[in-house]
Amino acid sequence: MKHYCSVLFLLCAIFISSVIGSKYQTRVQRGQLLKHATQKYGLRSFFQHQHVADFRDYAYFGNITLGTPIAPAPEQTFLVVLDTGSSNVWVPDNTCGLHDRRSACQRKNKFFATDSSSYEKDGRPFSISYGTGSASGVFGKDTLCFSDTTLCIKSQIFGQASTIAPFFANQEIDGILGLGFTDLAVNDAPPPFVNAVNQGLVDQPIFTVYLEHHGMKRAANGGYFTYGGEDPDHCGEIITWIPLTRASYWQFRMQAVGVDSVHENTAGWEVISDTGTSFIGGPGKVIEKIAEKYGAEYDEFNESYFIPCSKVKSLPSLKLQINDIQLEIDPINLVAYPDSKECDLTLFGIYGGGFGPSWILGDPFIRQFCNIHDIENKRLGLAHSKQQDDI
């Protein structure tokens, strides 16, 4: 994995290497030492790559740590969804499920405030709901670090969840880390990357998301989140910068969508880009028409569309018009593989009214186009992914 570093960061690495006295330290050991040096001396993190695991193209997870360990307590690490569709951070607290053997917290990593020397009590209650579950508890403050990086945010407000929804019981994640804007956050708790920008920890107020497709495989390295800049290793030149219509979600305008032609559906809608949503969601009637174009059948039990996997390579692309530019999502990025015979067409209908966005452009959109999130200028950049098409 290539890092883009400043002279100061390189000098720091050389200094630490000389202290260790060996050039054969593992990447994990070097990363931990660099992280602690960054915390101690207040060094800026600049361009930082964090890898995420790809769970068969249905979800992408990364690790964070919370707190400063008090010996002999170990570092407190949590597997989370790095979610651009929300703005709060929460992990299970050690009180979660304490007296309930059926609690969804039973198999989760839990946060112990007493094991961290940098923990600060907040005490305000929080409750947050998602499309698939909820979490509630109290807020606390501590140092939050993104794994694989030296990016550590001091006094980050996070939720210590004492209750989480049953949905999370069989999910491999411990919690969720939101990467939206503060306006979306419960109790206006600034999200970690907003805090990183405010604390001067990154070179640019930008983070880039690159996600890969791996079909039926579970890939330990399934993509990268790059904090503080773009990701030229994995992403091409920026195609367009899309101005946000609202800076809470990463929300913008989509003008049209279609299969044979982008002009098949031209009503225009508010949409969001969301790393925390596995599929692309849109108005029910529009999604039904698109699924029919693909020859997909609807599975009422699983509430999903499916097609024979053998037909994937012959499918047409999904065409979107955004910012007056026609964009195409290749069929390889529009499917997920629950098995080798029937593939999920990664579309779902959103029914009912409301004032929120009409479309959610989830992981299939982000597999096709790297998303460059510009916090300061409130805009979203798109660039072609450099991943090859073969699975």
Side-chain angles (χ1 to χ4, degrees):
M1 181 173 61
K2 184 176 179 181
H3 289 272
Y4 295 86
C5 306
S6 69
V7 172
L8 178 61
F9 187 68
L10 287 172
L11 288 174
C12 174
I14 293 167
F15 167 74
I16 291 170
S17 183
S18 67
V19 171
I20 295 170
S22 171
K23 64 180 179 180
Y24 299 109
Q25 298 295 320
T26 67
R27 182 176 67 177
V28 172
Q29 289 172 313
R30 289 199 302 270
Q32 289 174 341
L33 286 164
L34 285 168
K35 180 179 75 176
H36 295 316
T38 302
Q39 288 178 266
K40 181 175 180 180
Y41 299 110
L43 301 179
R44 295 176 70 182
S45 295
F46 297 91
F47 295 94
Q48 297 284 303
H49 290 313
Q50 177 183 19
H51 86 275
V52 290
D54 175 4
F55 288 75
R56 299 174 66 177
D57 296 349
Y58 285 98
Y60 298 82
F61 304 146
N63 283 315
I64 60 169
T65 63
L66 281 166
T68 305
I70 300 173
E75 195 167 56
Q76 300 194 61
T77 302
F78 302 92
L79 186 67
V80 297
V81 176
L82 299 167
D83 180 21
T84 57
S86 67
S87 293
N88 289 93
V89 186
W90 65 264
V91 297
D93 188 65
N94 70 298
T95 60
C96 190
L98 195 60
H99 304 295
D100 182 3
R101 292 183 179 179
R102 294 176 297 176
S103 167
C105 282
Q106 285 301 319
R107 298 181 181 179
K108 306 297 184 187
N109 291 312
K110 299 172 186 176
F111 179 76
F112 288 79
T114 53
D115 288 344
S116 173
S117 62
S118 51
Y119 175 77
E120 304 170 55
K121 186 176 180 180
D122 182 300
R124 290 176 295 164
F126 87 92
S127 179
I128 184 168
S129 296
Y130 306 92
T132 50
S134 60
S136 61
V138 297
F139 280 129
K141 295 181 182 180
D142 214 329
T143 299
L144 183 152
C145 299
F146 292 91
S147 295
D148 301 336
T149 78
T150 62
L151 181 55
C152 294
I153 299 102
K154 294 181 179 179
S155 297
Q156 174 63 47
I157 297 173
F158 70 102
Q160 298 170 240
S162 55
T163 303
I164 62 176
F167 167 82
F168 292 111
N170 297 318
Q171 304 299 310
E172 301 198 34
I173 59 167
D174 299 309
I176 293 176
L177 184 145
L179 288 165
F181 289 87
T182 305
D183 282 354
L184 186 61
V186 172
N187 290 348
D188 294 321
F193 190 74
V194 172
N195 271 338
V197 173
N198 292 339
Q199 293 177 21
L201 300 177
V202 289
D203 194 32
Q204 298 180 67
I206 289 172
F207 69 93
T208 299
V209 180
Y210 159 77
L211 300 180
E212 294 182 346
H213 53 251
H214 288 276
M216 293 183 65
K217 303 173 186 175
R218 292 162 59 108
N221 287 305
Y224 291 95
F225 281 59
T226 301
Y227 305 104
E230 299 173 30
D231 182 4
D233 281 358
H234 304 105
C235 308
E237 295 292 325
I238 293 177
I239 304 165
T240 185
W241 283 105
I242 309 164
L244 300 185
T245 54
R246 184 183 177 197
S248 54
Y249 295 107
W250 290 90
Q251 184 170 326
F252 51 94
R253 194 78 181 161
M254 182 168 74
Q255 297 153 307
V257 63
V259 178
D260 296 327
S261 165
V262 75
H263 301 297
E264 289 168 3
N265 303 280
T266 57
W269 310 267
E270 288 294 299
V271 305
I272 64 171
S273 173
D274 180 11
T275 56
T277 297
S278 303
F279 290 8
I280 291 175
K285 295 298 182 183
V286 178
I287 292 296
E288 288 173 16
K289 289 168 60 178
I290 292 173
E292 185 178 355
K293 287 271 187 180
Y294 281 115
E297 296 183 51
Y298 187 70
D299 180 346
E300 291 188 5
F301 181 79
N302 292 303
E303 298 182 332
S304 64
Y305 292 98
F306 67 92
I307 56 174
C309 295
S310 60
K311 294 185 177 181
V312 170
K313 291 186 177 181
S314 63
L315 295 176
S317 61
L318 180 65
K319 299 166 182 65
L320 318 173
Q321 186 168 318
I322 298 171
N323 210 22
D324 296 324
I325 294 174
Q326 181 171 312
L327 306 167
E328 298 190 15
I329 301 178
D330 296 331
I332 197 169
N333 288 320
L334 277 175
V335 296
Y337 290 75
D339 58 52
S340 60
K341 293 183 179 180
E342 289 186 348
C343 283
D344 284 329
L345 182 65
T346 55
L347 303 173
F348 69 93
I350 301 173
Y351 295 89
F355 298 100
S358 300
W359 286 78
I360 302 172
L361 301 181
D363 296 337
F365 175 71
I366 304 167
R367 284 194 289 269
Q368 185 74 41
F369 301 103
C370 294
N371 279 208
I372 302 95
H373 304 77
D374 187 340
I375 289 275
E376 185 175 275
N377 295 303
K378 297 180 174 57
R379 59 182 185 167
L380 182 73
L382 300 180
H384 285 291
S385 164
K386 289 184 177 179
Q387 187 187 14
Q388 298 300 310
D389 285 343
D390 294 333
I391 291 181

